[in-house]
Amino acid sequence: DFTATASQTAFVLAKGYTAKFVYVNGLLQRLTGQYTVATDGFQETVTMVTGVPVNQYVTVIAVRS
């Protein structure tokens, strides 16, 4: 879980986890339409297409990979 700050767009997952679903304030987001996922080889970053407003809750459902 993350709490957005100042139109935050990037949310970094813990190493070893792969993002499966992303929710903003309980609403399921669509891959590529509302967010993308990139990896640097060690950990994934969920990047929202538009900034998430301040204090909105972002939940990333992830699995250990």
Side-chain angles (χ1 to χ4, degrees), residues 27-39:
L27 298 172
L28 180 63
Q29 305 296 292
R30 302 178 106 188
L31 182 61
T32 69
Q34 295 170 310
Y35 73 95
T36 58
V37 178
T39 183

Side-chain angles (χ1 to χ4, degrees), residues 2 4 10-14 17 24 26 30 40 42-44 48 51-52 54 56 59 61 63:
F2 302 92
F11 301 90
V12 181
L13 300 180
Y17 285 88
V24 175
R30 302 178 106 188
D40 64 2
F42 296 101
Q43 61 193 125
E44 288 190 348
M48 305 304 288
V52 178
V54 175
Q56 300 289 309
T59 302
I61 305 299
V63 296

